[in-house]
Amino acid sequence: MTVPFHYLDLRAFCYGTEDHDRVVSALRELVPEEIDIEQTSTEGHHGDTIRVLSARVERADEIRHVLARLRDGDVLEAIEDELDDRLDEDNSLYVHLDKQAAYRGTVRLGKGIALRGKVEAYPATREAALENLREAL
């Protein structure tokens, strides 16, 4: 399988009302074990602590792992007709995944986990990026 991405960034917020380990487990459902999940903290509007969990996937085999998980959940098939809307002017693809479903071992579109993938394209045009995505996905 061709890998049309330079890298994939995944991010989830862990709010004070959520179990930190469950949010980590949800991200782990998507990324390979050898990928570190980094954590930073920020303050919410009402002074509550929000943990930001993030992981960057850069190696081809690791990207294939994430794409395989998305394929298992039919996410790639679901967004196939929306690629034009999901690709920004910098050739980054955006997909939002269901954090609760990921914790339960299922990958599907929803809210809670943001995935951004920098699409490879030579020349670096939107049209070339869309073509690469369509061919690879």
Side-chain angles (χ1 to χ4, degrees):
M1 167 182 19
T2 309
V3 178
F5 296 99
H6 291 288
Y7 58 83
L8 300 174
D9 285 330
L10 292 101
R11 184 181 68 203
F13 296 109
C14 181
Y15 299 97
T17 57
E18 293 180 301
D19 184 309
H20 175 264
D21 293 336
R22 288 184 176 199
V23 178
V24 171
S25 293
L27 272 179
R28 276 277 159 236
E29 189 62 34
L30 295 159
V31 300
E33 285 185 36
E34 59 270 13
I35 298 295
D36 291 331
I37 295 178
E38 297 180 10
Q39 177 179 301
T40 59
S41 293
T42 188
E43 189 174 300
H45 183 68
H46 299 287
D48 52 323
T49 299
I50 301 171
R51 296 180 187 161
V52 182
L53 306 173
S54 60
R56 176 168 277 200
V57 180
E58 296 178 303
R59 291 189 7 229
D61 287 343
E62 295 165 347
I63 292 172
R64 283 187 192 96
H65 174 91
V66 175
L67 294 178
R69 293 298 298 133
L70 296 176
R71 196 169 275 110
D72 290 346
D74 295 326
V75 170
L76 299 179
E77 185 177 297
I79 66 168
E80 192 172 354
D81 294 334
E82 304 170 355
L83 292 178
D84 192 49
D85 294 330
R86 292 179 178 273
L87 190 71
D88 72 5
E89 63 278 353
D90 293 324
N91 293 337
S92 291
L93 177 73
Y94 291 89
V95 179
H96 292 266
L97 305 166
D98 188 320
K99 182 167 49 174
Q100 293 294 327
Y103 170 70
R104 288 188 237 108
T106 304
V107 179
R108 67 175 185 221
L109 293 174
K111 294 182 180 178
I113 299 174
L115 182 148
R116 179 176 70 99
K118 181 66 172 173
V119 180
E120 287 184 349
Y122 304 101
T125 64
R126 181 176 172 73
E127 294 75 26
L130 282 169
E131 184 178 328
N132 286 348
L133 277 174
R134 288 189 179 105
E135 286 177 14
L137 305 181

